[in-house]
Amino acid sequence: MASKKIVRLPVEDVHNDYKTFVPVGIVEGKNPGATLAVIGGVHGSEYSAHEGVARFWESLDPEELSGKVFVVLAADITAMCGHGLYVNPIDGKNLNRVWPGKKDGTLTEVIAYTITQEVVKKADAVVDCHGGEFDESISLFIITHHTGNAELDKRNLDLAMALGMPFVEVTDAYGAVLGTGTGAAEAMKGGRPGITLEAGGRGLQEEYFISATFNCLQNALRHMGIKEGEPTLWAGKPVKIDHGVLIKTSQGGIYRPAVRVFEWIEEGDVFARVMDFDGCTVLEEIKASEAGTVLDVISARAIKAGGFAGKIGVL
């Protein structure tokens, strides 16, 4: 029977004597079909992604669907309500680095474990919705993975290219960077496609990025046959980037980006500068090691030595 409801999955961290819950929307379609899991609110201040997931949930009509949809409306409500960046304020761990979690772990690990057991393992595909936090500007791209399983990797890439984001990056699901511990990579290790959406940032709710998240999720429904119709490539034909280049600092100080997201940067061009706190002395000039599109730029006033500064997508 077609239905739509929200349940609260209880979560308890016995190590820190803390209890909370994960709100999950569940829609049973009018007809049988595939199951999609959508995860929102993994990080506390990725507001455009949060709103895109909320609008997607509101839009779901069981009478229009064939299959089932899980929507994690707020994976980490403690981080969201506490305006936390990157990590949970109770245990200091990053939810997108601890999947599939631990049943007897600290709060972040128990959240991951609970969602894995109650949502991810029941789904045919997982889309995890992200963006930049308060201190980070992100364009529009997908991070997904390869596992070495040719059939799964093809299904995964087909889904990623159908969502409509302009750029798609594929990394090793078992790799140390953007692989092991991330929600999408661990979903793939379990035998299902796993996609990470990246859209927006800087603590803003911007309609362009909210709509991007919403449109991607609608395309996921269509691609999987849960909703009638064909995916709409709302940003043109997606491009699979060859690889991403992570930019890091070697000095700490005042941070001054020289580029913005969506721009093109040539090899050798200045990506950013780190200044002494006098605001005049250049401590470090960070140059692009390869040409590409600027996917991610830290927008904070200052940065630490060894800090993540941004990302270039090499085509």
Side-chain angles (χ1 to χ4, degrees):
M1 179 182 293
S3 64
K4 185 176 183 179
K5 64 182 180 180
I6 294 177
V7 300
R8 291 187 173 195
L9 304 179
V11 174
E12 182 176 5
D13 176 354
V14 297
H15 305 281
N16 292 297
D17 190 26
Y18 191 89
K19 294 181 180 180
T20 183
F21 64 92
V22 177
V24 179
I26 305 173
V27 177
E28 292 272 7
K30 183 178 180 180
N31 301 304
T35 299
L36 170 67
V38 172
I39 301 176
V42 166
H43 291 138
S45 67
E46 297 174 350
Y47 297 138
S48 290
H50 297 174
E51 180 62 19
V53 170
R55 290 190 190 179
F56 174 71
W57 165 250
E58 293 165 3
S59 75
L60 295 175
D61 181 349
E63 296 296 325
E64 297 177 350
L65 304 180
S66 296
K68 190 171 186 176
V69 183
F70 289 95
V71 181
V72 177
L73 296 164
D76 191 345
I77 63 171
T78 306
M80 289 177 67
C81 293
H83 306 169
L85 275 72
Y86 300 103
V87 300
N88 178 281
I90 302 300
D91 63 6
K93 294 176 182 177
N94 183 336
L95 179 52
N96 205 32
R97 297 296 183 271
V98 303
W99 299 90
K102 296 179 182 178
K103 184 178 182 179
D104 60 350
T106 58
L107 183 58
T108 306
E109 294 165 325
V110 179
I111 290 171
Y113 176 82
T114 301
I115 295 173
T116 297
Q117 298 300 313
E118 300 298 329
V119 177
V120 173
K121 287 188 174 182
K122 299 177 181 180
D124 296 304
V126 176
V127 180
D128 189 10
C129 302
H130 288 261
E133 298 250 31
F134 273 126
D135 63 344
E136 184 180 18
S137 179
I138 282 181
S139 60
L140 296 172
F141 65 101
I142 281 171
I143 301 171
T144 191
H145 312 281
H146 58 80
T147 63
N149 179 326
E151 187 273 333
L152 173 59
D153 292 348
K154 182 182 185 305
R155 282 195 291 123
N156 185 66
L157 185 59
D158 287 347
L159 174 60
M161 299 297 281
L163 298 190
M165 282 288 197
F167 299 105
V168 175
E169 178 183 8
V170 182
T171 72
D172 182 0
Y174 295 89
V177 179
L178 300 177
T180 298
T182 64
E186 297 301 331
M188 289 196 69
K189 291 176 188 179
R192 60 191 57 79
I195 307 291
T196 302
L197 304 183
E198 295 284 1
R202 298 180 298 143
L204 301 176
Q205 294 188 58
E206 297 179 287
E207 190 60 39
Y208 180 71
F209 296 111
I210 294 168
S211 296
T213 299
F214 177 85
N215 291 339
C216 283
L217 297 177
Q218 291 291 332
N219 278 344
L221 293 178
R222 297 185 184 104
H223 179 78
M224 295 176 68
I226 298 172
K227 189 173 184 178
E228 290 187 356
E230 295 296 319
T232 301
L233 298 182
W234 46 272
K237 185 178 180 180
V239 174
K240 181 176 176 289
I241 68 174
D242 185 75
H243 62 278
V245 176
L246 301 181
I247 309 295
K248 291 193 173 183
T249 62
S250 61
Q251 302 288 323
I254 301 299
Y255 183 66
R256 292 186 178 169
V259 294
R260 294 180 294 182
V261 293
F262 295 107
E263 292 183 345
W264 181 265
I265 188 169
E266 293 289 349
E267 180 181 347
D269 285 354
V270 176
F271 187 94
R273 296 178 177 88
V274 179
M275 314 295 292
D276 201 348
F277 286 93
D278 61 10
C280 300
T281 306
V282 178
L283 299 177
E284 180 182 12
E285 194 170 69
I286 305 169
K287 296 183 179 181
S289 59
E290 298 179 74
T293 182
V294 179
L295 298 173
D296 190 330
V297 180
I298 290 297
S299 55
R301 171 70 172 158
I303 198 165
K304 65 183 179 180
F308 172 73
K311 182 176 185 176
I312 297 168
V314 179
L315 306 186

